[in-house]
Amino acid sequence: MLQQIEHIAIVVQDLEAALHVYRDVLGLPLVRIEEVPAESVKVAFLELPRGGSHIELVQPTDTESGIARFLSKRGEGVHHICFRVENVAEAMSRLLSAGLELIGQEVRVNREGRSYIFVHPKSTHGVLIELYEVKSS
Amino acid sequence: MLQQIEHIAIVVQDLEAALHVYRDVLGLPLVRIEEVPAESVKVAFLELPRGGSHIELVQPTDTESGIARFLSKRGEGVHHICFRVENVAEAMSRLLSAGLELIGQEVRVNREGRSYIFVHPKSTHGVLIELYEVKSS
């Protein structure tokens, strides 16, 4: 079902400071920086040269959002792991049949029209997992 | 410098229970299960079908090891992210020049003869990062 690691999202306090490490020292190419007011975050997208995976550095832009609360409770670090799947609706039905708990009851769709769901860390041994639909070409 | 996500290591309490989720429900092929007495862990290696990355589920086999202490302090979840690099010695020198802190002072070599280092999470915005040498073919 899981096809590929799409991205690893890392919550950081200061996007510029984190870019210094991940882009300038570790050498990951920066794809773009995006403000997402709906989620009160600023996100830097970096790309691994091989394997099709990305690193997303996520900085909260307020103190109330889910990301801001995560940061204040747990500190900087890995927020979630996103995997590509062929079909999110099928994946969701399989997860629910197996008794796993999702975050939210429905498949969500992002601004690019791609479907995704989040699986609750209590069902995945402590890892917040996103499943993201990308049809194989 | 970073080439590819080699693996994501997840600390779990009970390897069989975690395999039920990651292998049976999420559908990741199991490559092998290995006991590593030197580190007091049992590890299940699972493979993503695309992108060359792996998931390692790590269960402590005692209560004193680093992994056991991590589990008891932080609970189940992501332990570290491992990236492939072309040359660990060069990477190490670049990291030290930039003032990043490593865990240990020297390049380590695993049983397969591959070189690796760990970068301290305080230098990487909360993520324990392993750099693992794989020459590109």
Side-chain angles (χ1 to χ4, degrees), chain B residues 21 24 31 38 40 42 49 51 67 73 80-81 89 96 124 130 133:
Chain B
V21 173
D24 304 340
V31 180
S40 302
K42 195 155 79 171
I67 289 286
K73 188 173 164 194
H80 69 267
I81 309 285
L96 291 174
T124 56
E130 180 181 3
E133 183 168 298

Side-chain angles (χ1 to χ4, degrees), chain B residues 81-98:
Chain B
I81 309 285
C82 176
F83 295 96
R84 293 192 197 181
V85 298
E86 285 279 322
N87 186 316
V88 159
E90 271 179 32
M92 179 167 163
S93 134
R94 180 161 164 176
L95 268 52
L96 291 174
S97 300

Side-chain angles (χ1 to χ4, degrees), chain A:
Chain A
M1 189 168 83
L2 306 186
Q3 291 298 310
Q4 190 167 358
I5 299 172
E6 164 62 28
H7 63 257
I8 299 172
I10 301 170
V11 178
V12 302
Q13 191 89 51
D14 175 342
L15 200 58
E16 280 309 314
L19 278 170
H20 172 64
V21 173
Y22 285 88
R23 178 193 55 198
D24 304 339
V25 183
L26 294 174
L28 289 178
L30 175 65
V31 180
R32 68 182 189 282
I33 295 179
E34 208 176 301
E35 287 246 10
V36 189
E39 295 169 24
S40 301
V41 293
K42 195 154 79 171
V43 185
F45 296 82
L46 302 121
E47 191 166 46
L48 272 298
R50 293 171 170 216
S53 306
H54 304 81
I55 299 292
E56 296 186 7
L57 302 173
V58 184
Q59 180 204 299
T61 54
D62 72 2
T63 56
E64 304 303 320
S65 63
I67 289 287
R69 281 181 283 123
F70 180 99
L71 179 61
S72 117
K73 188 173 165 194
R74 318 236 349 193
E76 294 186 311
V78 173
H79 181 262
H80 70 267
I81 310 284
C82 175
F83 296 96
R84 293 190 198 181
V85 298
E86 286 278 321
N87 187 316
V88 159
E90 271 180 32
M92 180 167 163
S93 133
R94 180 161 163 175
L95 267 52
L96 291 173
S97 300
L100 272 66
E101 187 172 322
L102 305 185
I103 293 179
Q105 302 299 309
E106 284 172 17
V107 171
R108 307 185 215 181
V109 178
N110 71 8
R111 286 168 301 164
E112 287 87 40
R114 297 217 190 254
S115 303
Y116 66 99
I117 52 173
F118 277 93
V119 190
H120 198 288
K122 78 168 88 161
S123 290
T124 57
H125 298 264
V127 185
L128 177 58
I129 289 182
E130 179 181 3
L131 303 183
Y132 181 73
E133 183 168 297
V134 179
K135 304 277 187 208
S136 57
S137 46

Side-chain angles (χ1 to χ4, degrees), chain B residues 4-17:
Chain B
Q4 190 168 355
I5 299 171
E6 163 63 34
H7 63 258
I8 299 171
I10 300 169
V11 178
V12 303
Q13 191 89 51
D14 175 341
L15 200 58
E16 280 309 314

Side-chain angles (χ1 to χ4, degrees), chain B:
Chain B
M1 190 167 83
L2 306 185
Q3 291 299 309
Q4 190 168 355
I5 299 171
E6 163 63 34
H7 63 258
I8 299 171
I10 300 169
V11 178
V12 303
Q13 191 89 51
D14 175 341
L15 200 58
E16 280 309 314
L19 277 171
H20 173 64
V21 173
Y22 284 87
R23 177 193 56 199
D24 304 340
V25 182
L26 294 173
L28 288 179
L30 175 64
V31 180
R32 67 181 190 283
I33 295 179
E34 207 176 300
E35 287 247 10
V36 189
E39 295 169 23
S40 302
V41 293
K42 195 155 79 171
V43 185
F45 296 83
L46 302 122
E47 192 166 46
L48 272 298
R50 292 169 169 219
S53 306
H54 304 80
I55 298 292
E56 296 186 9
L57 302 172
V58 185
Q59 180 205 302
T61 54
D62 72 3
T63 55
E64 304 303 319
S65 63
I67 289 286
R69 281 181 284 122
F70 179 99
L71 178 62
S72 121
K73 188 173 164 194
R74 317 234 352 193
E76 294 186 310
V78 173
H79 181 262
H80 69 267
I81 309 285
C82 176
F83 295 96
R84 293 192 197 181
V85 298
E86 285 279 322
N87 186 316
V88 159
E90 271 179 32
M92 179 167 163
S93 134
R94 180 161 164 176
L95 268 52
L96 291 174
S97 300
L100 272 66
E101 187 173 322
L102 306 184
I103 293 179
Q105 301 301 308
E106 284 170 18
V107 172
R108 307 185 215 181
V109 178
N110 71 8
R111 286 169 301 165
E112 286 87 41
R114 298 221 190 250
S115 303
Y116 66 99
I117 53 173
F118 278 92
V119 190
H120 198 289
K122 76 166 90 162
S123 291
T124 56
H125 297 264
V127 185
L128 177 58
I129 288 183
E130 180 181 3
L131 303 183
Y132 181 72
E133 183 168 298
V134 179
K135 304 277 187 209
S136 57
S137 48

